[in-house]
Amino acid sequence: MKKNIASLKAVALAAAVFCAMPQAHAANANEEATKRHFAALVATGKEPKLAELTMFFTLMPKGGDLHHHYSGAIYAEQYLQWVDKEGYCVNKSNYQIDTSKTLTKEEQAKPLAERACLSGVDTLQDNTFLANLLQRWSDKDFYNHSAIQSPPDRQFFDTFAYFNPVASTNAVDGLQRLKQRAVQENVSYIETIYEIAPIAQDADFDKKALSTGVTDTDFAALSAKLEKDQAFQGWIGSYLKNVDTVSVGLDDANFTLRYQPFALRFLSPSQVYSQIVSSFKLATSNPKIVGVNIVGQESVHVSMRDYALHMQMFKFLKSKYPQVKLALHAGELSLGMVEPEGLTFHIKDAIEVAGASRIGHGMDIAHESNPLAIMKKMRDQKIPVEVNLSSNDFILGIKDQAHPVTLFRKYGVPYVLSTDDAGVSRNNLSGEYVLYAARYQPDYAEVKKLSYDSIRYSFLADADKQRLLKALDGKFTKFEADIAGAVAQSKR
Ligand SMILES: [Zn+2]
């Protein structure tokens, strides 16, 4: 009897294998067709087929976007709608949002030309004013025409001050919009650098930090003070509540969102320290907050002056909360932007002192004191770089063969493609893949790996990661079948 059952099982197994084989064969054939098709789009020595690449990458499942600033991801057109929702208007002389609610009914009754401040909808309908506004609220048209302009790095970072008055208050709407956009372009996960972490200032700490310097003892003392600071603790509580509120209805079978709080690196030492403290606390208090970050223009005076100090702060707090993951902006610098010594240690310190699990940008790697040793460490310890091609081109003027992604590729440093600030750059993740493919002619296996890596290197909990990777398998099977079908169709 036992033998019979065994042989029946063997027959059933053989039948199952037999049935599965044609399917597996078809999937393989589809992948091969996709590989050949993609190779033709980026063939060396030929002009890259940008329209075809754009369609290819819009359709291709792209896993996650791991370097994504919430407020920088929203397009200006959305912000203008929120201007009206809040009852604000846009000052016609300086393009700033006027939050004093001066756009009364009497004011609105005046002809447009006579108003000092325009509503969002009137701004959207005034083509010339809108075009001028977009040159301030984003990078749009920066290279299109000659005008008196700020340098590109200032242009980029200055945009945030324009739309900040309406960014945080409309997060429920904003995140839903970002979700729809992500699903539309086949992105299943966003790890967004969300809101500024709760902050406090301590004049004595700042004075000491900038004179004799501060140590772990001072960090511990300020931490103890912050524990008793009710306003600071209250802010942490509100942040946690806010994350729960804005997350309602966001996660589903097609999309997952997680958050990172951030410290601003150009603030005073106590302000930065308090923000790192609150970030660590947030990341241990809500599973949706999966890591911490430090952001802001790295090349400005205070960011450069205090860089090493900030890494010490992270080191101290990481020793208290070893489970918290760090994705730190590090090395978003280029030669000439700061003194050469400033280019020699930021990535190394972010990894070796602060304990970063991911590096944002990593653009000055070639100038570091020992780039080969750092890249080996990043390869061995699987510490990826979040590569933001559009943003790096605009802010730092680095692209093509000057971009260090060429070094990361050559030396086996893991990396992922991400958007940084798609609303400011007016790009999307598919566009970043198009840029990458057009510039560096990867094969299909490489871009497919980039998509999977953007989930593998995410800070998602293991079960979520496995769920998203499995879903990605299914999405790629469908994508490759569609591409194989399209290839056959184009030959008819
Ligand atoms: Zn960034």
Side-chain angles (χ1 to χ4, degrees):
M1 188 64 192
K2 234 182 186 178
K3 208 176 175 190
N4 279 348
I5 289 173
S7 61
L8 275 175
K9 270 187 180 165
V11 171
L13 188 69
V17 169
F18 181 76
C19 291
M21 265 175 64
Q23 249 180 339
H25 183 72
N28 244 338
N30 289 341
E31 185 174 16
E32 287 305 315
T34 306
K35 270 184 198 170
R36 285 193 300 275
H37 173 66
F38 183 73
L41 302 186
V42 293
T44 320
K46 291 189 181 160
E47 191 185 344
K49 295 179 175 166
L50 290 180
E52 289 207 55
L53 281 171
T54 301
M55 184 168 81
F56 186 90
F57 283 119
T58 303
L59 295 172
M60 192 183 95
K62 285 170 292 291
D65 189 351
L66 300 187
H67 189 122
H68 175 282
H69 297 265
Y70 164 69
S71 70
I74 303 279
Y75 272 57
E77 289 85 340
Q78 176 69 62
Y79 283 129
L80 288 169
Q81 290 180 30
W82 292 340
V83 163
D84 288 354
K85 201 176 139 207
E86 302 292 334
Y88 301 156
C89 57
V90 182
N91 187 308
K92 274 165 80 179
S93 61
N94 61 14
Y95 299 88
Q96 285 171 5
I97 297 175
D98 181 342
T99 58
S100 60
K101 308 209 176 195
T102 50
L103 194 63
T104 56
K105 281 203 172 125
E106 297 80 68
E107 186 70 12
Q108 275 179 298
K110 286 185 193 165
L112 282 179
E114 288 174 28
R115 286 185 221 159
C117 208
L118 290 186
S119 69
V121 70
D122 285 335
T123 302
L124 286 164
Q125 289 175 34
D126 182 332
N127 294 341
T128 304
F129 184 65
L130 178 64
N132 287 325
L133 176 133
L134 291 176
Q135 288 172 51
R136 287 157 178 85
W137 289 30
S138 77
D139 298 342
K140 192 166 186 300
D141 294 332
F142 189 85
Y143 292 112
N144 281 354
H145 56 90
S146 61
I148 297 169
Q149 291 173 317
S150 316
D153 60 336
R154 291 299 341 139
Q155 163 77 23
F156 184 94
F157 288 106
D158 285 348
T159 60
F160 292 85
Y162 285 103
F163 49 71
N164 264 346
V166 288
S168 303
T169 39
N170 290 282
V172 171
D173 204 9
L175 291 171
Q176 284 291 347
R177 187 61 173 258
L178 293 175
K179 172 184 174 174
Q180 285 165 13
R181 192 167 292 156
V183 171
Q184 166 70 27
E185 62 154 337
N186 292 296
V187 173
S188 46
Y189 175 61
I190 292 178
E191 202 165 291
T192 196
I193 304 162
Y194 181 51
E195 287 283 330
I196 186 166
I199 187 169
Q201 188 159 15
D202 188 288
D204 293 340
F205 183 93
D206 286 341
K207 206 169 153 197
K208 192 168 180 198
L210 299 178
S211 52
T212 54
V214 280
T215 63
D216 285 2
T217 316
D218 303 292
F219 296 153
L222 185 51
S223 282
K225 239 178 168 177
L226 291 167
E227 266 312 304
K228 292 186 209 124
D229 182 333
Q230 288 199 349
F232 182 70
Q233 295 301 329
W235 190 348
I236 293 176
S238 322
Y239 196 114
L240 290 169
K241 241 184 241 161
N242 173 268
V243 164
D244 281 335
T245 308
V246 299
S247 298
V248 173
L250 269 175
D251 282 11
D252 60 25
N254 277 322
F255 185 73
T256 304
L257 187 87
R258 294 292 180 267
Y259 306 82
Q260 295 173 9
F262 62 86
L264 280 173
R265 64 184 356 143
F266 49 74
L267 299 180
S268 80
S270 67
Q271 289 176 315
V272 174
Y273 183 74
S274 62
Q275 290 194 292
I276 301 175
V277 167
S278 60
S279 295
F280 271 85
K281 204 151 184 202
L282 290 166
T284 48
S285 308
N286 186 330
K288 287 194 164 61
I289 301 174
V290 293
V292 303
N293 217 318
I294 186 164
V295 316
Q297 190 167 358
E298 194 172 329
S299 58
V300 297
H301 174 68
V302 173
S303 308
M304 293 301 288
R305 181 194 70 192
D306 294 347
Y307 189 90
L309 172 62
H310 297 158
M311 296 305 112
Q312 291 296 333
M313 293 172 176
F314 276 111
K315 181 184 182 185
F316 176 76
L317 288 160
K318 175 90 176 161
S319 74
K320 309 275 174 219
Y321 303 90
Q323 75 278 29
V324 171
K325 294 197 175 81
L326 277 50
L328 303 184
H329 283 63
E332 191 185 5
L333 300 166
S334 61
L335 184 64
M337 199 171 221
V338 295
E339 291 174 290
E341 298 74 25
L343 302 170
T344 57
F345 67 96
H346 284 198
I347 300 169
K348 179 177 189 284
D349 275 16
I351 293 168
E352 294 184 354
V353 180
S357 298
R358 294 201 314 249
I359 294 294
H361 298 292
M363 291 297 288
D364 65 2
I365 187 78
H367 301 278
E368 286 258 347
S369 296
N370 200 344
L372 290 166
I374 303 165
M375 287 198 287
K376 184 174 184 309
K377 184 170 266 189
M378 293 170 86
R379 187 186 67 198
D380 294 348
Q381 296 184 5
K382 297 193 174 359
I383 299 171
V385 181
E386 301 148 2
V387 169
N388 306 295
L389 297 174
S390 294
S391 159
N392 300 150
D393 180 5
F394 191 84
I395 300 173
L396 306 176
I398 295 177
K399 60 179 173 178
D400 300 329
Q401 292 304 307
H403 196 291
V405 73
T406 51
L407 286 170
F408 305 145
R409 273 181 109 193
K410 187 163 184 173
Y411 291 95
V413 176
Y415 56 93
V416 292
L417 299 183
S418 40
T419 52
D420 205 7
D421 296 277
V424 176
S425 301
R426 296 182 78 83
N427 202 359
N428 61 11
L429 190 58
S430 308
E432 297 299 303
Y433 273 78
V434 171
L435 263 179
Y436 182 82
R439 284 184 189 171
Y440 306 113
Q441 290 97 36
D443 60 15
Y444 175 61
E446 187 180 332
V447 292
K448 189 172 175 178
K449 182 174 179 296
L450 282 173
S451 172
Y452 276 89
D453 279 353
S454 66
I455 300 296
R456 285 186 195 116
Y457 291 115
S458 73
F459 291 163
L460 278 164
D462 271 347
D464 287 328
K465 205 179 269 190
Q466 294 316 317
R467 176 174 60 82
L468 264 72
L469 285 170
K470 196 159 177 264
L472 207 49
D473 289 342
K475 287 175 186 198
F476 266 104
T477 302
K478 182 178 180 310
F479 166 70
E480 286 160 4
D482 288 349
I483 293 294
V487 170
Q489 185 187 332
S490 70
K491 284 179 184 155
R492 276 204 288 264

